[in-house]
């Protein structure tokens, strides 16, 4: 796999560790079997106004060693890091690590301004505490999403690292009685060149803790970065490789029960009655309880719980349930689009009048259909809950700590301050673990409460079938587009109607995101169209169904980008122009788009002839402040089977904190988006989901992954998101390549349902 990176440097030596939760510096990490119970949170005090923190600690066989280690003086200048006497620097991450590289990026920002030794960097999860760990892009809320981890943390973490560095330098200057300006810091060592004296961070930790925190700190000039922009090894790779990383699935407590929940087959149905006699007869089954979302079987083991659940006899009341098929819902969407009664998301000039005035031969129209999509993370949803009279503790790969705290507290009848969340590694999410109703967390707390809140830990485990059937899908959408072409072939008018379900309506975020009836997430990627078209209209029609929907990786651009970029390609061909050159003309006033587009086209060899049966397609999009252009090369055999052979990706995401992480996220996003475009669809028959596992809901197989080349556009702008933006352009780039190879357009997704694949 080829990657073009900014100023590539060799990775610094040393092994990295990142365990969740982390044992105190120097203490051994207990195995899941050793975990007895989380005993306390330890919060340290210091001079910095931002406050100090350490995460919760496991207690078990090693607790005496932990207590002794904790008694040693530790330098904790703010909420985001601490320095131990052995020189280890622990970075506190307010964002969950779910495979996107957040831990590595966060640690790099802190270590850069601190001038730390990368081999001594550790990362642990922050406690659930929005007062100190709120996502600055979300307001007073702690959470991870919208590809905001680096963007919202950038200045905050730089200042945290620079503050700690200044205090360590002040400690050395006071010890050696020399001016601080004469000191230098490199790889965790403070030096005084004139006298030859030096001291490691650990040696200075105790004294630094007593130094006043500076009110202002000077940040590095980007030209002086030593770590940012280099290919540092990811901090989560060693623990994930050696098995010490803790996912929720790994958590085991003495006496812990396993719970599986039987949910209704139709969305909106409720339990009418149930017979648990056969379930209770299964060896190992301890209880069967009804909760709001269904009937739970609680057992000693997963298999006993599953066998017991299979034996349940439940009668459902589906009088208020969704009973339509997905085909019927899509037919309704088409009717709504044809009726043309959308709310204006963007209006510029007179699109309707220009379209009416255009000659018939100069008008182009197309409609695109997008199915429901599941998130299907590798680790299905799960959570461990310990509920007693004193409060509630939750262990999970938590993405929305503040919201989950509030919802758990409501169900348990507690104050949110009584709910402690321990954020573990998450085996993927793509948006699924971040939902405003906290479905899987609420289910786990509800089951624990129904069992009597006796303090016995309960682990709720979703199966893959639960995940596929469990709702919270990317909504189904229908797009209708019309355009008029001028004498020069360039578009003079553009009308875009988007029909689909709002993911924000009815949620706690509705007031923030829905303005004048328009859910911004439904029209992003369309209402902010970068192309210079004088007469423009983007309209939205919000629908209602009983199907639970949620943001999905790259959110609105997961469908709008396809419609826009596929239609632009159609316009280019209708005008008799090269699709790349056509886009360049329309983006003349968009330098970031042009830079990414040009880089991708050049590296892909745009314009070189392709053999028969092969085609090359291009697309460029922006999401979460990041511009991504992709060129896809495909081969289509005589049976219509599509093989994506190569993808060239150019990305402008501001300053590249870690080029390897950026490349990995581009590759991962391309694979994720390609699988959805080729195969992904959740369909309903009489309101029941037809897919149940990866045999029916196919994701991209390794054999289908194309060769990917990632090229990063040099930038000095602040970092923007990389976890999601690569998903947006891959579908249309492939569709446009298929047209180049076959002359056939793909307007109904996924490709396997169109006859093109």
């Amino acid at each position: 796999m080829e990657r073009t990176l900014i100023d590539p440097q060799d990775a610094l030596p040393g092994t990295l560790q990142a365990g969740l939760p982390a044992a105190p510096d120097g203490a051994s990490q207990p195995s899941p079997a050793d975990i007895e119970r989380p005993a306390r949170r330890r919060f340290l005090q210091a001079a910095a106004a931002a406050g100090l923190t350490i995460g919760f600690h496991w207690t078990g066989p090693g607790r005496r060693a932990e207590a002794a280690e904790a008694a040693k003086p530790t330098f904790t200048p703010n909420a985001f890091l601490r320095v131990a006497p052995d020189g280890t620097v622990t970075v506190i991450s307010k964002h969950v690590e779910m495979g996107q590289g957040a831990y590595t990026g966060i640690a790099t920002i802190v270590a850069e301004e601190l001038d730390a030794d990368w081999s001594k960097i550790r990362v642990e999860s922050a406690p659930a505490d929005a007062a100190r760990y709120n996502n600055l892009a979300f307001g007073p809320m702690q959470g991870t999403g919208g590809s905001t981890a680096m963007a919202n943390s950038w200045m905050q973490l730089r200042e945290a690292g620079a503050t700690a560095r200044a205090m360590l330098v002040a400690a050395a200057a006071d010890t050696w009685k020399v001016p601080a300006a004469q000191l230098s810091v490199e790889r965790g060592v403070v030096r005084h060149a004139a006298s030859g004296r030096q001291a490691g961070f650990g040696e200075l930790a105790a004294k630094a803790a007593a130094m006043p925190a500076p009110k202002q700190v000077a940040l590095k000039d980007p030209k002086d970065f030593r770590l940012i922009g280099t290919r540092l090894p990811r901090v989560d790779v060693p623990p994930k490789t050696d098995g010490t990383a803790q996912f929720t699935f790994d958590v085991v407590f003495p006496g812990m029960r396993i719970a599986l929940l039987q949910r209704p087959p139709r969305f909106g149905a409720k339990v009418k009655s149930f017979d648990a006699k056969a379930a209770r007869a299964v060896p190992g089954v301890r209880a069967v309880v009804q909760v709001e979302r269904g009937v739970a079987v609680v057992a000693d083991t997963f298999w006993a719980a599953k066998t017991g659940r299979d034996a349940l006899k439940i009668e459902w009341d589906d009088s208020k349930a969704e009973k339509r098929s997905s085909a019927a819902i899509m037919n309704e969407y088409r009717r709504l689009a044809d009726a043309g009664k959308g709310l204006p998301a963007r209006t510029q000039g007179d699109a309707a009048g220009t379209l009416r005035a255009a000659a018939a031969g100069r008008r182009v129209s197309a409609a695109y259909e997008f199915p429901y999509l599941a998130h299907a993370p590798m680790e299905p949803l799960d959570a461990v809950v310990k509920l007693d009279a004193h409060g509630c503790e939750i262990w999970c790969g938590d993405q929305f700590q503040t919201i989950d705290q509030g919802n758990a507290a409501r169900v348990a009848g507690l104050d949110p301050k009584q709910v402690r969340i321990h954020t573990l590694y998450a085996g993927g999410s793509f948006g699924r673990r971040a939902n405003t109703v906290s479905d899987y967390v609420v289910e786990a707390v509800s089951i624990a409460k129904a069992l009597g809140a006796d303090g016995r830990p309960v682990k709720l485990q979703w199966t893959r079938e639960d995940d596929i059937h469990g709702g919270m899908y990317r909504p189904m959408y229908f797009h209708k587009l019309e355009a008029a072409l001028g004498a020069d072939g360039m578009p003079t008018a553009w009308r875009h109607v988007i029909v689909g379900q709002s993911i924000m309506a009815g949620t706690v975020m509705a007031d923030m995101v829905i303005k004048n009836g328009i859910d911004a997430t439904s029209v992003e990627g369309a209402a902010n169209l970068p192309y210079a078209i004088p007469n423009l209209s983007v309209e939205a029609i919000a629908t209602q169904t009983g199907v639970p929907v949620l943001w999905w990786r790259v959110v609105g651009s997961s469908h709008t980008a396809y419609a826009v970029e596929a239609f632009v390609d159609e316009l280019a061909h209708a005008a008799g122009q090269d699709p790349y050159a056509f886009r360049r003309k329309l983006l003349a006033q968009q330098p970031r788009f042009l830079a990414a587009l040009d880089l991708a086209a050049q590296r892909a060899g745009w314009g070189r002839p392709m053999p028969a049966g092969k085609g090359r397609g291009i697309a460029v999009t922006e999401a979460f402040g990041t511009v991504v252009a992709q060129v896809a090369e495909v081969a289509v055999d005589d049976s219509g089977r599509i093989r994506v052979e190569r993808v060239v990706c150019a990305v402008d995401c501001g300053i590249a904190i870690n080029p390897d992480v950026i490349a990995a996220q581009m590759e991962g996003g391309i694979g994720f988006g390609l699988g959805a475009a080729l195969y992904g669809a959740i369909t309903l028959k009489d309101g029941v989901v037809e897919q149940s596992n990866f045999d029916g809901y196919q994701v991209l197989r390794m054999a289908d992954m194309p060769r990917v080349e990632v090229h990063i556009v040099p930038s000095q702008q602040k970092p923007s998101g990389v976890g999601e933006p690569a998903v947006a352009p891959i579908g249309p780039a492939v569709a446009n390549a298929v047209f180049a190879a076959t002359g056939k357009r793909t307007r109904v997704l996924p490709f396997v349902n169109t006859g093109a694949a």
Side-chain angles (χ1 to χ4, degrees):
M1 184 169 295
E2 178 184 336
R3 295 174 178 172
T4 300
L5 309 176
I6 298 174
D7 299 324
Q9 299 179 23
D10 292 334
L12 299 178
T15 333
L16 301 178
Q17 298 175 355
L20 279 184
D25 305 312
S28 61
Q29 174 72 44
S31 70
D34 291 333
I35 296 170
E36 293 182 354
R37 62 184 178 83
R40 66 199 184 281
R41 274 206 180 86
R42 183 163 56 92
F43 293 97
L44 305 179
Q45 302 297 318
L52 311 172
T53 185
I54 83 166
F56 78 99
H57 292 276
W58 300 106
T59 60
R63 60 184 175 269
R64 285 186 296 275
E66 292 183 12
E69 196 66 29
K72 294 181 180 180
T74 303
F75 173 43
T76 55
N78 51 59
F80 299 101
L81 69 102
R82 65 177 182 267
V83 181
D86 65 357
T88 299
V89 177
T90 300
V91 177
I92 314 299
S93 174
K94 66 180 183 178
H95 294 289
V96 64
E97 176 58 77
M98 47 191 170
Q100 82 280 36
Y103 277 10
T104 302
I106 284 168
T108 303
I109 298 170
V110 173
E112 179 64 76
E113 292 291 350
L114 185 59
D115 279 317
D117 180 350
W118 186 251
S119 69
K120 292 188 175 183
I121 292 289
R122 308 289 184 265
V123 182
E124 72 178 38
S125 177
D129 181 356
R132 291 178 296 169
Y133 297 111
N134 64 303
N135 184 318
L136 301 180
F138 293 173
M141 171 188 156
Q142 185 176 352
T144 305
S147 295
T148 60
M150 298 305 106
N152 95 92
S153 300
W154 174 244
M155 290 303 295
Q156 185 180 54
L157 295 180
R158 290 184 71 189
E159 291 173 356
T163 297
R165 182 188 188 277
M167 294 170 73
L168 288 161
V169 167
D174 186 67
T175 301
W176 300 331
K177 306 306 178 187
V178 298
Q182 294 181 5
L183 303 181
S184 63
V185 186
E186 185 177 0
R187 293 193 180 184
V189 177
V190 182
R191 292 185 175 89
H192 183 239
S195 65
R197 285 175 289 189
Q198 66 178 45
F201 284 177
E203 300 171 70
L204 297 168
K207 188 159 190 174
M211 303 303 294
K215 293 182 179 180
Q216 289 186 326
V217 288
L219 302 180
K220 285 185 178 180
D221 188 307
K223 67 180 177 56
D224 297 324
F225 287 160
R226 297 177 180 178
L227 301 179
I228 290 173
T230 64
R231 293 174 289 169
L232 295 171
R234 282 181 61 149
V235 298
D236 55 331
V237 168
K240 287 178 178 177
T241 303
D242 64 25
T244 58
Q246 279 224 322
F247 296 82
T248 311
F249 190 82
D250 300 316
V251 174
V252 177
F253 289 102
M256 185 177 76
R257 305 292 195 215
I258 307 297
L260 270 71
L261 182 65
Q262 184 62 59
R263 302 168 187 86
R266 288 189 174 95
F267 302 115
K270 300 289 184 180
V271 175
K272 186 174 183 180
S273 65
F274 69 95
D275 181 351
K277 183 177 179 180
R280 291 192 176 99
V282 173
V285 169
R286 299 293 181 176
V288 179
V289 295
Q290 181 178 345
V291 294
E292 176 64 24
R293 297 197 71 208
V295 180
V297 176
V298 184
D300 294 331
T301 65
F302 170 84
W303 190 249
K306 183 181 184 305
T307 305
R309 187 176 70 169
D310 291 345
L312 282 173
K313 296 179 180 178
I314 305 176
E315 184 179 358
W316 300 98
D317 176 4
D318 59 6
S319 58
K320 296 182 179 179
E322 176 63 73
K323 297 187 181 70
R324 290 177 294 175
S325 68
S326 46
I329 296 172
M330 184 59 78
N331 285 335
E332 174 67 8
Y333 286 11
R334 292 191 195 97
R335 187 191 67 77
L336 290 171
D338 290 340
K341 295 181 180 179
L343 295 175
R346 180 177 174 185
T347 302
Q348 178 180 300
D350 182 9
T354 306
L355 283 165
R356 284 193 301 269
R362 308 302 291 176
R363 291 198 301 267
V364 181
S365 63
Y368 302 90
E369 299 179 13
F370 303 91
Y372 291 111
L373 292 174
H375 300 77
M378 186 61 69
E379 179 191 16
L381 298 175
D382 45 10
V384 176
V385 170
K386 179 179 177 290
L387 180 65
D388 59 26
H390 303 292
C392 178
E393 286 191 89
I394 300 169
W395 292 261
C396 64
D398 200 290
Q399 196 174 342
F400 263 16
Q401 288 89 346
T402 303
I403 286 179
D404 292 345
Q405 263 184 322
N407 284 329
R410 173 182 51 79
V411 172
L414 300 170
D415 185 280
K417 294 179 180 178
Q418 294 176 277
V419 177
R420 291 172 286 176
I421 296 177
H422 309 306
T423 301
L424 310 180
Y425 283 113
S429 172
F430 316 119
R432 183 61 182 89
R433 298 180 197 278
N435 65 81
T436 59
V437 295
S438 310
D439 61 342
Y440 70 107
V441 172
V442 164
E443 287 176 352
V445 175
S446 298
I447 294 168
K449 184 178 181 181
L451 291 173
D454 60 359
R456 180 186 292 272
V458 178
K459 178 188 288 186
L460 171 68
Q461 183 67 58
W462 287 45
T463 65
R464 178 61 60 197
E465 289 78 11
D466 293 339
D467 173 62
I468 300 299
H469 281 274
M472 296 288 183
Y473 306 113
R474 196 286 303 275
M476 174 186 288
Y477 277 95
F478 180 81
H479 290 244
K480 182 177 180 180
L481 293 99
E482 302 172 86
L485 301 178
D488 59 356
M490 304 309 292
T492 57
W494 171 289
R495 182 175 182 237
H496 189 170
V497 179
I498 302 169
V499 184
Q501 195 171 344
S502 165
I503 61 175
M504 294 296 187
T507 73
V508 296
M509 296 183 176
D511 290 343
M512 295 184 290
V513 180
I514 300 177
K515 304 297 181 185
N516 300 318
I518 302 288
D519 182 341
T521 67
S522 295
V523 298
E524 61 185 357
N528 55 335
L529 190 76
Y531 297 112
I533 301 173
N535 301 288
L536 182 66
S537 173
V538 179
E539 303 162 36
I541 300 174
T543 62
Q544 292 185 342
T545 77
V547 181
V549 293
L550 182 67
W551 37 68
W552 186 89
R553 198 172 183 181
V554 90
V555 197
S557 293
S558 66
H559 54 96
T560 58
Y562 187 103
V564 166
E565 287 300 296
F567 192 57
V568 167
D569 211 73
E570 296 203 34
L571 297 183
H573 284 280
Q577 299 189 29
D578 175 82
Y580 164 51
F582 189 77
R583 284 176 171 82
R584 289 200 90 256
K585 294 177 185 176
L586 291 172
L587 294 170
Q589 302 303 314
Q590 300 284 351
R592 292 186 68 211
F593 281 84
L594 275 180
L597 186 71
D598 288 345
L599 182 57
Q602 291 162 10
R603 294 304 178 98
W606 186 270
R608 287 201 304 258
M610 297 288 286
K614 294 190 175 185
R616 189 182 287 120
I618 195 166
V620 60
T621 62
E622 180 274 327
F624 306 115
T626 293
V627 177
V628 180
Q630 291 170 7
V631 175
E633 295 179 357
V634 308
V636 185
D637 65 21
D638 292 339
S639 68
R641 182 180 182 274
I642 299 168
R643 169 74 181 172
V644 183
E645 298 183 329
R646 179 190 183 210
V647 176
V648 178
C649 174
V651 53
D652 178 355
C653 57
I655 291 175
I657 295 173
N658 187 311
D660 265 356
V661 171
I662 293 168
Q665 287 303 292
M666 294 299 107
E667 295 157 2
I670 286 167
F672 187 86
L674 181 58
L678 292 177
Y679 313 116
I682 291 292
T683 58
L684 307 178
K685 182 179 181 180
D686 299 325
V688 177
V689 173
E690 295 185 283
Q691 295 70 32
S692 62
N693 208 310
F694 287 143
D695 56 341
Y697 187 80
Q698 185 173 338
V699 296
L700 195 73
R701 307 296 198 253
M702 290 182 68
D704 293 331
M705 184 68 185
R707 179 163 57 97
V708 177
E709 303 166 22
V710 177
H711 306 280
I712 301 174
V713 178
S715 174
Q716 293 302 311
Q717 299 298 312
K718 68 178 184 178
S720 50
V722 298
E724 301 172 75
V727 176
I730 185 61
V734 170
N736 296 338
V738 169
F739 174 79
T742 67
K744 297 179 181 178
R745 290 290 178 188
T746 308
R747 299 192 181 109
V748 178
L749 268 67
F751 286 46
V752 293
N753 288 347
T754 66

